[in-house]
Amino acid sequence: MFKSRLKVGTLAATLLLGLAACGGDADPDPGDTGTGDTGDGAPAGEAVVDFMHIWPAGSSPDHHRIVSDIIAEFEADNPGVTINMEVLENEQYKNQLQIISSSNQLPDVGMTWPAGFMVPYVNGNRFATLDDIFDEELNEDDFVAGTREAYEFDGQTYALPVELNIAPVFYNQELFEENGLDVPETYDEFLNVIDTLAENGVTPIALGNRDRWTGSMWYMYLADRYGANALNDAIDRSGSFEDEGLIQAAAEIQNMVDRNAFIRGFNGLSDQEAKAEFMNGNAAMYLIGSWDLPNFTTNEEVPQEFRDNVGFFKFPEVEGGEGDIDSWVGGPGVGLFVSEASDVKDEAKQFVKYFVQRWGEESVEDAGVIPGTQVDTDEVELAPLFIEVLDELNNASDITLFADVQMNAAVAETHLTLIQSLFGNEVTPEDFARQHEEALEENQGEDEVDFDDAEDDADADEAVDEEVDEE
Amino acid sequence: MDKVMSNKKIIALYVLPAFALLVVLVYVPIFLTGYYGLTRWDGIGERVWVGFDNYARLMGDSMFWRSAYHSFLLAIFSLLSLVGYLIISMILAGKIKGADLFRKIYLIPMLLSSVAIAQLWMRIYHPTNGVMNRLLTSIGIENPPLWLADTSIVLYAIFIPIIWQYAGFYILIYYAALKNVPNELIEAARIDGASPWQIGYKIKLPLIMGVIKVTIVLAVVGSLKYFDLIYVMTDGGPNGASEVMASYMYKQAFRTYNFGYGSAVGFFLLLLALVVTWLIRKVTESKEDNVQY
């Protein structure tokens, strides 16, 4: 009997590896390969910098090529330093980063997302501060206002941006013409566009809300146009989600849903699927970050006919609302961090600096990535649509960072789930606001706990100091 | 051979590699997960010992119980589907034309990876271009269901590919077991005038009972820890309508950085599966039971 029990246990346990196995699988860490390489007869004084990024050669060939070129240049300019590159795809990368950082084995240089994503890493003292690399060649002024700040905590910079995006509403010019529509400048005109398209049997807006951040962007624009800074204030707790403008914005989302503004079954579609509908000409509008601009301009795999057809407009103004039309939803994407535990920190910081500068020069033209550093639109050769977006970026009055990025992970998860419920008419705008408030309140409590821990540490340090004094 | 096997050192030599692998890859992670479950940990910084706080929270976490309910629903559906698989294998094991071809057809889904299956079914369920809704529209249904977007049907919509995915596996097991039933017994029964129904119910079924019990355990435990298709097809959405325990665990640990709480969910899931396995054994226990699993 005992024997058979044991077998049952083994069976169930094997089937149930689940979470535990996730931790176990990830053991091969980039740190090991690095030290392994140095061990292979490299002369003393050589530094190997491990670098992890998220652009595989297969799915992001242009990005990958530029990165590899920059690495080659850096190695040529800095004899004795070798960059050891490891590439993982986005989601995999996020999981891997969490796992290896729990055993304090982050790569020397890696990529991070701003604000909320970084909080646990900064609190856990995993990232090094980068303020000491700023000099005449590269300093705060070289970055588009507000981008570097997204990686800043307590006045210290923990990563440098390599990507910046804003989210325009892209539209199909041909479909607009066929239905006798003009680009809407006010929200009422926008609703009129939606109604006309819907009546004529054209899907007004392609939305893949299974991914949830897609729907969040629509909500954020309405929130911005109705309540200006109310959303930011609510998130940093100087305001409240029960702000009138924010509730109004949530109500307007449901108004749009009721007008059949969004594609059928949007809550079950991924962003990729929704994009396909827009690119096949089945939907007239699509709100997405400027990272998709290459698809609408230079990507040869997309039919020229369609690319010529795409235009964009700014999310229209709301009458009586507080926001202005030049305020965008967007923000920096990934940035580069240096690991606090790195034993080649100086070289790593040098590399980050070099990378950010070179990337700023190359990325727009060659990969269609808007860098976090400023771009002179007179000097680059780009598709007109691209230049227009870049000019809008330079004229932006404000950029509101994606809400789920601003929030810390737990609140972001609540926000995203609530977005799906809001679009699915499963929650009233009032409850939508109230549940956000609850999540933010609850989480503020947790932040305080972290803060207490930090104080404890400080106390401990003081105690040590006192002991030293006594000696 | 006997001489070799009586040498304890040699026995140890043979057993050790597998045993070491098992300990390192299975038991140590389980133990660690149990330990992490007793801490508050974001997966990155310091671990703070909180005792059974996570489990207390788990007991009152309505979202967890909702996903547990979904997992149990899946287990029930899997059990019901076993009956279907059994009937299909009985037909296949009987001498019908083309049995071999059908057996291969049923086996195909098993050879596909979960992600491929998910992609396939996402296309089938696509609200406007999907095969399913095209079909429904063509026979005159004006507003076909939004399979993966409708909170009231999404869970059942995902059950279908899950059950389809494992059909081949169970049919293969049953088929093999049925082929092992001695032909003499069946011929003897036929000579005594037993109908095909009687042969199936009174002779074949009791003879493969041990195998059936194993499949029951596999199906139930497999359902409780099910993750793949749900993660790819809906990510537990919309609004948690298709969340199951494993996907909830994943979200807690890797999305919201509650690694401690996620570990508690995972460990609880393990305990739950052990209890259910034990219960199934108790319920299906019989005196002449000699199949051990």
Side-chain angles (χ1 to χ4, degrees):
Chain A
M1 192 60 203
F2 173 69
K3 194 174 153 201
S4 69
R5 280 240 178 104
L6 194 64
K7 278 193 183 166
V8 175
T10 320
L11 178 70
T14 321
L15 293 170
L16 269 166
L17 266 173
L19 183 58
C22 294
D25 283 348
D27 267 343
D29 67 278
D32 276 355
T33 42
T35 36
D37 283 355
T38 8
D40 291 344
E46 268 206 17
V48 177
V49 178
D50 290 312
F51 172 44
M52 260 169 92
H53 72 81
I54 55 164
W55 295 311
S59 52
S60 320
D62 294 330
H63 297 59
H64 190 87
R65 201 194 61 245
I66 301 176
V67 172
S68 305
D69 289 351
I70 295 177
I71 289 175
E73 281 175 40
F74 180 78
E75 284 176 342
D77 287 358
N78 295 273
V81 182
T82 316
I83 307 291
N84 193 357
M85 184 171 76
E86 189 185 333
V87 191
L88 285 172
E89 181 273 330
N90 211 315
E91 282 302 306
Q92 246 183 337
Y93 177 85
K94 282 185 184 169
N95 290 346
Q96 174 82 337
L97 198 67
Q98 187 187 357
I99 290 160
I100 57 180
S101 84
S102 65
S103 52
N104 212 357
Q105 286 173 320
L106 284 177
D108 301 309
V109 179
M111 286 184 164
T112 177
W113 286 262
F117 180 87
M118 296 173 73
V119 170
Y121 296 90
V122 173
N123 279 347
N125 202 19
R126 291 296 194 259
F127 293 168
T129 59
L130 298 176
D131 296 285
D132 51 343
I133 66 173
F134 293 133
D135 54 22
E136 288 109 51
E137 282 174 52
L138 181 77
N139 56 47
E140 282 95 333
D141 299 335
D142 288 320
F143 296 95
V144 177
T147 56
R148 187 194 51 81
E149 286 84 344
Y151 305 87
E152 193 182 66
F153 292 84
D154 291 333
Q156 305 217 287
T157 312
Y158 287 91
L160 293 179
V162 294
E163 253 189 329
L164 175 63
N165 289 292
I166 52 174
V169 183
F170 291 98
Y171 71 105
N172 187 320
Q173 290 170 334
E174 196 184 313
L175 282 178
F176 266 52
E177 267 165 43
E178 277 171 17
N179 292 281
L181 294 167
D182 291 322
V183 167
E185 280 173 14
T186 67
Y187 186 63
D188 287 337
E189 285 173 31
F190 181 62
L191 287 180
N192 181 42
V193 166
I194 288 172
D195 289 344
T196 312
L197 288 167
E199 271 164 35
N200 296 349
V202 179
T203 304
I205 298 165
L207 169 69
N209 206 29
R210 203 193 85 194
D211 291 337
R212 307 181 300 179
W213 52 265
T214 42
S216 174
M217 292 198 298
W218 284 100
Y219 170 73
M220 284 189 65
Y221 266 124
L222 283 164
D224 182 84
R225 297 299 186 258
Y226 274 104
N229 258 329
L231 186 65
N232 285 345
D233 293 346
I235 294 171
D236 71 22
R237 302 318 292 145
S238 59
S240 158
F241 250 96
E242 282 163 324
D243 177 277
E244 214 176 298
L246 295 185
I247 293 181
Q248 182 70 30
E252 277 309 320
I253 287 288
Q254 296 192 325
N255 179 18
M256 282 170 75
V257 171
D258 292 341
R259 285 168 189 255
N260 288 325
F262 302 105
I263 191 168
R264 259 178 71 79
F266 53 80
N267 260 353
L269 292 177
S270 70
D271 176 52
Q272 288 300 326
E273 289 172 298
K275 187 186 303 176
E277 297 294 314
F278 177 66
M279 297 186 54
N280 290 333
N282 293 336
M285 291 177 275
Y286 177 53
L287 172 63
I288 198 69
S290 44
W291 58 76
D292 258 329
L293 270 171
N295 279 333
F296 308 142
T297 52
T298 49
N299 189 345
E300 296 293 337
E301 284 165 28
V302 180
Q304 180 74 43
E305 216 187 327
F306 173 79
R307 283 183 274 151
D308 292 343
N309 240 330
V310 179
F312 76 92
F313 59 84
K314 307 179 217 180
F315 194 93
E317 243 169 341
V318 171
E319 263 169 64
E322 291 172 33
D324 89 89
I325 197 161
D326 280 317
S327 165
W328 295 86
V329 167
V334 288
L336 294 179
F337 70 82
V338 170
S339 166
E340 180 68 25
S342 166
D343 45 10
V344 286
K345 223 187 263 178
D346 291 338
E347 288 84 355
K349 284 183 178 179
Q350 240 182 318
F351 174 64
V352 166
K353 185 179 168 189
Y354 191 92
F355 188 96
V356 170
Q357 283 175 299
R358 291 289 297 123
W359 178 260
E361 290 155 19
E362 304 267 333
S363 64
V364 187
E365 268 185 325
D366 292 352
V369 176
I370 303 172
T373 40
Q374 284 174 352
V375 179
D376 186 350
T377 46
D378 295 334
E379 287 193 7
V380 287
E381 294 226 353
L382 283 170
L385 192 69
F386 227 116
I387 297 283
E388 280 174 50
V389 172
L390 280 171
D391 285 340
E392 290 295 347
L393 188 63
N394 292 340
N395 294 330
S397 63
D398 191 16
I399 297 177
T400 312
L401 186 57
F402 303 109
D404 57 319
V405 178
Q406 266 189 65
M407 297 164 173
N408 78 27
V411 183
E413 188 63 28
T414 311
H415 165 71
L416 292 171
T417 307
L418 279 169
I419 283 288
Q420 227 177 17
S421 315
L422 181 72
F423 276 79
N425 275 333
E426 287 161 40
V427 66
T428 63
E430 290 75 21
D431 284 345
F432 176 81
R434 194 176 43 76
Q435 291 185 36
H436 270 101
E437 273 300 298
E438 281 167 14
L440 281 160
E441 282 299 321
E442 191 187 324
N443 222 270
Q444 211 182 21
E446 271 180 31
D447 277 348
E448 272 165 27
V449 175
D450 283 342
F451 201 63
D452 286 345
D453 291 348
E455 275 176 5
D456 288 347
D457 290 348
D459 290 348
D461 288 346
E462 275 168 32
V464 172
D465 287 347
E466 276 165 27
E467 274 172 36
V468 174
D469 288 346
E470 277 166 29
E471 278 175 26
Chain B
M1 194 64 193
D2 283 347
K3 207 176 159 194
V4 171
M5 283 318 218
S6 64
N7 184 338
K8 291 237 162 56
K9 278 183 192 158
I10 293 198
I11 294 177
L13 194 69
Y14 281 126
V15 171
L16 214 61
F19 180 73
L21 272 180
L22 199 64
V23 167
V24 171
L25 295 178
V26 179
Y27 292 108
V28 169
I30 288 177
F31 176 78
L32 284 177
T33 306
Y35 165 65
Y36 295 153
L38 300 174
T39 61
R40 192 184 67 226
W41 186 32
D42 58 13
I44 292 154
E46 290 292 304
R47 274 192 291 273
V48 183
W49 179 267
V50 293
F52 286 93
D53 278 11
N54 284 331
Y55 292 91
R57 177 175 160 199
L58 189 69
M59 293 302 132
D61 184 345
S62 61
M63 197 55 229
F64 171 76
W65 290 111
R66 194 166 159 218
S67 48
Y69 169 69
H70 294 155
S71 291
F72 274 99
L73 265 184
L74 176 60
I76 290 167
F77 271 78
S78 309
L79 277 181
L80 292 178
S81 67
L82 286 183
V83 179
Y85 302 150
L86 189 60
I87 292 170
I88 291 172
S89 347
M90 285 221 177
I91 294 170
L92 288 178
K95 287 185 179 93
I96 63 157
K97 269 186 190 165
D100 218 39
L101 178 70
F102 280 115
R103 197 163 47 90
K104 289 194 176 93
I105 289 174
Y106 287 121
L107 201 61
I108 288 173
M110 208 180 103
L111 305 175
L112 297 173
S113 80
S114 290
V115 177
I117 292 176
Q119 293 294 338
L120 177 72
W121 282 84
M122 277 160 72
R123 292 209 177 13
I124 293 176
Y125 281 141
H126 193 286
T128 44
N129 304 326
V131 179
M132 191 81 93
N133 280 359
R134 287 247 163 132
L135 202 76
L136 291 175
T137 325
S138 71
I139 59 167
I141 294 170
E142 268 188 26
N143 266 319
L146 305 167
W147 301 100
L148 299 179
D150 189 331
T151 46
S152 56
I153 48 176
V154 59
L155 193 63
Y156 304 98
I158 294 196
F159 283 174
I160 293 170
I162 296 175
I163 284 166
W164 177 77
Q165 178 181 19
Y166 286 102
F169 177 67
Y170 291 110
I171 289 173
L172 191 72
I173 292 182
Y174 288 148
Y175 181 80
L178 286 167
K179 281 284 172 192
N180 270 338
V181 174
N183 243 332
E184 304 86 66
L185 287 179
I186 293 163
E187 267 165 35
R190 202 170 286 145
I191 289 164
D192 285 344
S195 67
W197 167 253
Q198 280 172 324
I199 293 177
Y201 186 68
K202 294 250 169 79
I203 296 179
K204 287 182 178 172
L205 204 59
L207 280 170
I208 64 164
M209 210 53 204
V211 173
I212 291 177
K213 286 177 193 170
V214 175
T215 57
I216 289 174
V217 173
L218 284 177
V220 171
V221 174
S223 305
L224 290 182
K225 53 134 209 165
Y226 195 78
F227 178 75
D228 327 9
L229 288 194
I230 287 180
Y231 177 69
V232 183
M233 287 175 75
T234 62
D235 200 11
N239 192 18
S242 60
E243 197 87 85
V244 291
M245 285 190 280
S247 64
Y248 187 66
M249 165 185 85
Y250 175 83
K251 270 191 187 162
Q252 285 298 329
F254 291 101
R255 293 265 176 80
T256 65
Y257 292 94
N258 289 323
F259 211 91
Y261 186 57
S263 301
V265 174
F267 201 72
F268 188 77
L269 179 51
L270 171 75
L271 295 180
L272 207 62
L274 285 174
V275 168
V276 168
T277 311
W278 178 79
L279 270 180
I280 293 171
R281 261 189 70 85
K282 274 282 159 204
V283 171
T284 60
E285 207 166 42
S286 58
K287 271 178 198 156
E288 63 268 44
D289 191 1
N290 55 4
V291 180
Q292 296 195 328
Y293 50 87

